[in-house]
Amino acid sequence: MKSELIIETPTHKWLYFGRDPEKPDKIIDTNQYMVVSSHHALLMDPGGIELFAAMLANIVKHIPLSQLTHLFASHQDPDIISSLGLWDQTLPKAKLYSPWLWEGFIRHFGMNNISYEPIADNGGSVSLDQVELQFIPAHYLHASGNFHVYDPVTKVLMSGDIGAALEDPQADIYVDDFEQHCAKMAYFHQRWMPSNRAKNDWIKRVRKLDIQYLCPQHGRIFRGPQVKQFLDWFESLNVGVGV
């Protein structure tokens, strides 16, 4: 599994994990992100149960395990949080931030020790030392209860399934040719995003944010001018197309 520094400030940094060449062929490739502050860390969408060993081995290369005190699940899908039962045994004092709507579903993955911190529909925030991260509503994109994570200091938006593309495990983690990349995103967004109204509400909300890195849970990271390019492309795309 690859791990890479996305951005670092005097108070915290964002790390990327993904492109696991040893994942089973029929399991979708996922990106995991972690924010590390001076004494705490937040791991976002920690991945499926099959990734747990690889994720754990890579995380401890960067921080002591005791520093990983917070988890975040954007919604209930197994590729995002089915590893929860193993994290529950590894990090018994951690907190999991996730939509209130999915608590009864997410607990099926195993949760006897970690504290569930439900996020209200209108969002919220979490503090890691001096760092405050915001939970941005993204309901129906594609889950009915869904959130993204925004960092106003580094200007990073962890965008869950928005911006997702299906890539080869050897692919770069950053978008290089935007126009070429669109072909890898179109069907995914048309099929998995059910509502143009929800899409446009989200676009209106995030256009108000200063975003320099848009980091989806699958595919590649968008940087700088590519963020606006993506928002314009997504706005023009008709979603909720089943066939």
Side-chain angles (χ1 to χ4, degrees):
M1 176 179 286
K2 178 184 290 188
S3 64
E4 191 163 323
L5 176 68
I6 299 172
I7 187 170
E8 185 170 11
T9 76
T11 57
H12 63 298
K13 60 186 175 183
W14 279 72
L15 294 166
Y16 161 92
F17 302 88
R19 301 289 191 267
D20 184 3
E22 297 182 4
K23 74 172 183 62
D25 289 340
K26 293 189 177 181
I27 296 233
I28 192 169
D29 195 38
T30 57
N31 302 328
Q32 289 70 227
Y33 302 97
M34 186 168 68
V35 175
V36 179
S37 64
S38 53
H39 298 100
H40 298 279
L42 168 71
L43 178 61
M44 289 163 271
D45 287 359
I49 191 169
E50 78 289 343
L51 278 184
F52 175 77
M55 281 299 301
L56 186 62
N58 275 274
I59 285 171
V60 297
K61 294 176 184 177
H62 296 276
I63 60 171
L65 202 54
S66 59
Q67 192 171 347
L68 182 52
T69 51
H70 297 69
L71 302 174
F72 167 79
S74 57
H75 57 291
Q76 83 294 353
D77 277 359
D79 63 322
I80 282 167
I81 195 61
S82 65
S83 58
L84 178 62
L86 296 173
W87 289 114
D88 189 68
Q89 297 173 45
T90 308
L91 307 170
K93 296 181 180 180
K95 296 180 178 181
L96 171 67
Y97 290 80
S98 200
W100 71 269
L101 186 67
W102 295 124
E103 180 174 1
F105 293 77
I106 285 175
R107 285 186 177 274
H108 281 280
F109 293 126
M111 192 174 178
N112 297 313
N113 301 303
I114 289 175
S115 170
Y116 196 100
E117 304 293 328
I119 306 172
D121 280 341
N122 61 349
S125 63
V126 60
S127 294
L128 305 176
D129 301 306
Q130 310 100 309
V131 181
E132 183 170 327
L133 304 172
Q134 302 171 10
F135 299 128
I136 306 298
H139 305 310
Y140 301 101
L141 299 170
H142 64 96
S144 50
N146 198 44
F147 289 95
H148 299 157
V149 179
Y150 177 63
D151 179 352
V153 175
T154 59
K155 303 176 183 178
V156 176
L157 178 68
M158 184 278 189
S159 61
D161 283 304
I162 295 180
L166 304 182
E167 288 280 5
D168 184 274
Q170 304 304 317
D172 192 80
I173 71 167
Y174 294 103
V175 174
D176 46 15
D177 186 323
F178 180 83
E179 297 301 327
Q180 190 178 62
H181 192 65
C182 289
K184 300 177 182 179
M185 299 190 292
Y187 179 75
F188 183 94
H189 287 77
Q190 288 179 316
R191 184 65 190 261
W192 287 97
M193 306 296 164
S195 167
N196 284 300
R197 177 181 172 183
K199 177 199 73 173
N200 291 331
D201 285 348
W202 178 86
I203 290 171
K204 183 178 179 181
R205 180 179 293 114
V206 301
R207 283 197 192 275
K208 298 175 183 177
L209 305 175
D210 186 355
I211 302 169
Q212 290 299 312
Y213 296 86
L214 191 146
C215 300
Q217 201 237 342
H218 309 282
R220 303 193 189 198
I221 297 170
F222 301 82
R223 296 181 288 185
Q226 294 172 345
V227 175
K228 183 181 183 302
Q229 281 184 289
F230 171 75
L231 294 177
D232 292 344
W233 173 86
F234 192 32
E235 191 168 33
S236 68
L237 189 71
N238 185 35
V239 302
V241 179
V243 292

